[in-house]
Amino acid sequence: MNEKIWLSLAHLSGNEMKYIQEAFDTNWVTSAGKNIDEFEKQLESFLSDDAGNETNVFVTALSSGTAALHLGLLLLGVGPGDEVLCQSFTYAASANPIYYVGATPVFVDSEPDTWNMSPEHLRRAIIDRIAKGKKPKAIIPVDQYGMPVKMDEINAIAQEYEIPVLEDAAEALGSTYKKKACGSLGDMGVLSFNGNKIITTSGGGALVSRNKQLVKNALHLSTQARDVAPHYQHSHIGYNYRMSNIIAGIGRGQMEVLEKRIEQRRANNIYYRQYLSNVPGLTFHSELSSDFFSNFWLTAILINPEKSAGITREDIRLHLESCNIEARPVWKPMHQQPVFADCPYYGEGISDRLFEQGLCLPSSSILKENDLQRVVKGILDLYK
Ligand SMILES: *Cc1c(COP(=O)(O)O)cnc(C)c1O
């Protein structure tokens, strides 16, 4: 049996242990220290418009992307009884924190080109929610698989109705929209460093904003909201969401290879396109123009059985599985999930079709040409 090819694996640089060792050597085995400070600086420099020069994007490192979404909602003033507009085509982690703050998600369909939040359905949802008596308190668009949301359109609608945007860029570190970093495109943004993302700290996340005060407030809330006083005094409910100085050491080592990882994941995408573009009924999740730059965290395809002689996404997935290759269906939309069955939804079946036809191909940065060949051959086998 050939060695297993996984969907998306961590890929270390070799320097991570050096920074972890530093933390141990200096006894900074806690939720403060040089690794956290440096990791945040690296991220800020990477995300800022004029990378390496003036910092205009700010970051608080946290224990997970989910924690960052939770704090983001709190900082945008979302609370019990509120409604939050959320892209339906996403991972449950985008929507769960809406419940943590006692609010209700209102799901919005995707558009067929970016696979991300449809501006048209977003507007329709806002108008209808207001007509029903409640203006939504926040909008959560998602840069899915690294593909940037059409943020100009989303932001224009958000500004028109004065609703803040919390960009879920958990999968999109290194992606840009009109040359600006994903994560920095809304009022606040979220990154994840979970083990399967483009870089990892094993588990971790960050809250991002161009508003320095919001990011400072996130730091305050993430460290039990302690007031400035010699004794322990608290005026707000706090959380224990800060990133540890140990895992921030992994992050420092990973930031040194981020550019390389983006290149490698994009190279996987180019390889798949080169060998699969002519397969009937097979299309790629693609950048629409030079305004869109995806890190191609995952390469995703659609299989339209009407054009592929009846071959389905599931046929391909199962055949790849029999070749010891892991491919996964794209996200099942949140409005189809049992746990969110009662939530309002605005759409026209785009994300439902994506789910029926979509497949994520192995996309790790450690893949070798031989691995990519095996995946391509596995797919082409079915069309013989
Ligand atoms: C991974 C992910 C998250 C959650 O991040 P964690 O760090 O795992 O908590 C949120 N949203 C999306 C779209 C993700 O892919």
Side-chain angles (χ1 to χ4, degrees):
M1 192 71 162
N2 275 318
E3 210 175 307
K4 174 110 181 179
I5 297 177
W6 298 93
L7 185 75
S8 181
L9 292 177
H11 185 179
L12 297 172
S13 74
N15 274 342
E16 290 84 2
M17 281 307 289
K18 183 177 91 186
Y19 298 117
I20 293 174
Q21 190 63 47
E22 232 175 76
F24 275 74
D25 290 345
T26 52
N27 282 309
W28 282 95
V29 181
T30 179
S31 59
K34 188 174 170 191
N35 283 340
I36 300 181
D37 296 344
E38 290 299 319
F39 182 46
E40 285 179 341
K41 267 192 234 157
Q42 286 169 311
L43 284 166
E44 288 177 346
S45 162
F46 181 84
L47 295 167
S48 287
D49 296 343
D50 190 9
N53 290 310
E54 204 193 333
T55 301
N56 64 349
V57 175
F58 305 94
V59 169
T60 289
L62 299 168
S63 54
S64 71
T66 308
L69 280 155
H70 186 187
L71 291 188
L73 289 171
L74 288 167
L75 289 163
L76 295 176
V78 182
D82 288 338
E83 292 185 348
V84 174
L85 296 151
C86 181
Q87 184 166 319
S88 186
F89 184 68
T90 188
Y91 180 43
S94 307
N96 286 336
I98 299 170
Y99 274 98
Y100 302 171
V101 298
T104 304
V106 173
F107 292 112
V108 178
D109 203 3
S110 288
E111 36 157 31
D113 45 12
T114 63
W115 301 14
N116 290 325
M117 185 180 268
S118 150
E120 183 194 326
H121 291 299
L122 173 65
R123 179 184 292 280
R124 204 163 64 77
I126 294 172
I127 292 171
D128 193 56
R129 297 325 288 173
I130 292 174
K132 289 192 161 69
K134 237 181 224 180
K135 187 170 101 170
K137 285 302 255 312
I139 303 169
I140 304 180
V142 187
D143 304 301
Q144 209 47 262
Y145 303 127
M147 188 64 67
V149 173
K150 279 186 188 159
M151 204 51 117
D152 277 357
E153 282 92 326
I154 301 288
N155 275 336
I157 296 167
Q159 273 152 26
E160 185 181 333
Y161 291 95
E162 298 183 322
I163 304 172
V165 173
L166 177 58
E167 180 192 6
D168 184 347
E171 301 169 8
L173 177 59
S175 300
T176 60
Y177 174 71
K178 299 191 173 175
K179 308 275 182 272
K180 291 200 156 82
C182 285
S184 77
L185 304 171
D187 295 275
M188 304 196 89
V190 166
L191 299 173
S192 167
F193 312 111
N194 195 4
N196 62 353
K197 300 295 195 315
I198 190 155
I199 62 163
T200 185
T201 58
S202 70
L207 200 56
V208 176
S209 183
R210 290 172 184 270
N211 179 332
K212 196 172 188 174
Q213 191 57 46
L214 278 177
V215 162
K216 273 192 172 169
N217 295 349
L219 171 61
H220 179 67
L221 284 184
S222 73
T223 49
Q224 303 291 18
R226 191 177 161 196
D227 294 344
V228 182
H231 54 278
Y232 282 90
Q233 170 143 326
H234 303 271
S235 307
H236 295 104
I237 296 296
Y239 299 82
N240 183 5
Y241 279 172
R242 188 63 163 146
M243 179 176 278
S244 116
N245 195 50
I246 303 295
I247 68 159
I250 307 177
R252 278 178 81 184
Q254 290 275 279
M255 280 307 286
E256 294 171 0
V257 290
L258 174 56
E259 294 284 5
K260 223 189 263 176
R261 298 297 177 258
I262 297 164
E263 222 173 90
Q264 287 160 327
R265 295 222 179 215
R266 285 182 62 86
N268 292 339
N269 189 269
I270 290 169
Y271 187 96
Y272 286 133
R273 279 170 199 274
Q274 191 178 342
Y275 291 97
L276 296 172
S277 284
N278 295 329
V279 173
L282 187 156
T283 50
F284 282 86
H285 188 203
S286 300
E287 297 161 330
L288 301 185
S289 72
S290 57
D291 287 344
F292 296 77
F293 179 88
S294 174
N295 65 6
F296 283 117
W297 170 58
L298 296 186
T299 289
I301 57 173
L302 294 180
I303 306 294
N304 181 351
E306 283 165 27
K307 295 182 182 163
S308 63
I311 294 169
T312 65
R313 182 281 303 285
E314 225 17 40
D315 294 334
I316 294 182
R317 191 186 69 77
L318 290 169
H319 181 66
L320 289 175
E321 192 172 82
S322 76
C323 304
N324 215 17
I325 296 168
E326 182 189 33
R328 278 198 208 162
V330 300
W331 306 121
K332 180 171 181 176
M334 291 305 111
H335 71 271
Q336 285 195 35
Q337 298 288 353
V339 68
F340 296 125
D342 295 335
C343 298
Y345 161 70
Y346 295 83
E348 53 171 339
I350 300 296
S351 52
D352 307 88
R353 182 178 60 85
L354 293 174
F355 175 56
E356 274 167 35
Q357 301 186 354
L359 189 67
C360 297
L361 300 180
S363 299
S364 304
S365 44
I366 49 169
L367 290 179
K368 299 192 178 56
E369 181 154 357
N370 177 45
D371 300 319
L372 294 166
Q373 268 170 8
R374 270 177 59 197
V375 179
V376 165
K377 183 178 170 303
I379 295 173
L380 293 180
D381 278 350
L382 282 176
Y383 290 84
K384 279 194 187 129

